[in-house]
Amino acid sequence: MPTQTKTSVASIKAIRGAFLDFIADPFFVPEELESVRYIPDGLLILENGHIQELGEYEQLKNKYPAVPITAYSDCLIMPGFIDTHIHFPQTEMIAAYGEQLLEWLNKYTFPVESKFKDRDYAQKIASFFLDELIKNGTTTALVFAAVFPESVEAFFTEASQRNLRMICGKVMMDRNAPEFLRDTAISSYEDSKKLIQKWHKNGRLLYAVTPRFAVTSTEEQLRMAAKLLEEFPDVYLHTHLSENVKEVELVAQLFPESKGYLDVYDRAGLVKERSIFAHGVQLRDDEFKRLSEAKSAISFCPTSNLFLGSGLFKLFQAKSKKHPVKVGLGTDVGGGTSFSMLQTANKAYKIVQLQGDKLSAFKALFLATLGGAKVLCLEDKIGNFDAGKEADFIVLDLKATPLMALRNSQTPPAKTKAEIAEKAFATMILGDDRAIQATYIAGELAYHKNQAN
Ligand code: GUN
Ligand code: ZN
């Protein structure tokens, strides 16, 4: 039927360029390059916001003769970045001077978060925040809102308007915070439940039960969080863990019966497969082992760990063959200092260097894409260019700045994985939002550098 054929061709489109993604975890394959898929001249076929096929241009061009092609030269097309830990209400307090975690929370964070009861204000910041993510090539994030349900409403409303796959939750916090920012064990349970019922799996949106950290929750509140996980088994648990030495000491005082920080969450029933713990800088060996057993995940937040002076995350211990723990990268804005996952990879590289190891570009970019998808148990939907996945992807300009152009011109256009590794490394060290030429969300162009949207 001609009309039908016309409709289906019209809904298909294609992108031509150099494609890089991951088909396995480079930390665990015998040869790192086995985990990488690199197609120097590829064609990505998109239909209805999903990936239909990725292959060599020469092989696919005749299969889709009538399909309109958008071509990108001198660029690298990758899956959208996945930020596994970030706070949207902290956007305006990024780069707050001079304090480590506990003082930083009291001096800067809590006053700012108290503004997010105002739904309009929350929505204005959520809008700015999401535009900033997209501009930085981040298409999925696991996001802390504030304690007020209004802040979650605002966030999901804005994320839904952009058709983004986003995960967010209301902060649960019933002690050790200013009165205005405290909920109660019961109210946090009830408010979270209402939000789950309204937003979880609403379009591309998902909910995370979000107790801030053990310092600001009573045992009763942590148990109510676990009750939500039992009632809604496919929501996430998102919290902070073992970030800073003084914090770990305080948690030991607040929970004297626990064997350690992770054990506080474990006793409450919060250490599970869909649990994502931000930081883990101070974790002990037995705690890494427990996270591995439980299939829980850590969000490694390098810019934050450096900025707040928290310490050096032991990435290669987490990625050990014996007790592997899932790891993704998080910006942790506003403790973190950049929305850019390239800058986050840059700092991850340096943290690993300080421990005498090497974080290759492929390993770092895996953490920022498919690794993040695995952390979020979303690897069936996002994270690489496998057929059937949602078409969230970015176009990286490897010559975005004069310095990057100079650095990346020294080798010819990359034909091999080894050649693209070299350029990708320079890009993750030198690049930031300027390197994001375009961002596609569910197959649609959502951002193009230097073009009004
Ligand atoms: N621990 C508890 N709350 C926070 C927060 O807002 N940021 C960071 N980095 N750590 C925390
Ligand atoms: Zn955080």
Side-chain angles (χ1 to χ4, degrees), residues 85-96 101 104-105 108-110 112-113 116 125 129 143-146 171 212 240 304 308 331-336 339:
H85 179 69
I86 185 164
H87 301 250
F88 99 81
Q90 295 178 14
T91 305
E92 66 196 81
M93 51 149 296
I94 193 169
L101 178 63
W104 174 86
L105 282 173
Y108 299 112
T109 314
F110 291 153
V112 166
E113 290 193 9
F116 285 75
I125 299 295
F129 170 90
V143 182
F144 261 65
V171 170
R212 179 170 217 116
H240 296 92
S304 169
L308 294 176
T331 59
D332 193 28
V333 165
F339 278 81

Side-chain angles (χ1 to χ4, degrees), residues 314-332:
K314 296 178 195 133
L315 176 63
F316 278 83
Q317 178 163 5
K319 299 295 285 183
S320 81
K321 288 208 173 71
K322 202 163 170 213
H323 302 296
V325 181
K326 286 186 285 180
V327 179
L329 288 180
T331 59
D332 193 28

Side-chain angles (χ1 to χ4, degrees), residues 280-281 288 300 302 305-306 311-318 347-359:
V281 173
F288 274 111
F300 170 26
N305 296 161
L306 295 171
L312 307 179
F313 176 65
K314 296 178 195 133
L315 176 63
F316 278 83
Q317 178 163 5
K347 300 298 185 294
Y349 175 82
K350 292 169 184 169
I351 284 180
V352 167
Q353 275 283 35
L354 284 166
Q355 298 171 81
D357 279 311
K358 287 181 193 167
L359 181 65

Side-chain angles (χ1 to χ4, degrees), residues 16-28:
R16 181 179 179 186
F19 290 84
L20 173 70
D21 70 344
F22 298 90
I23 49 174
D25 185 336
F27 287 87
F28 296 125

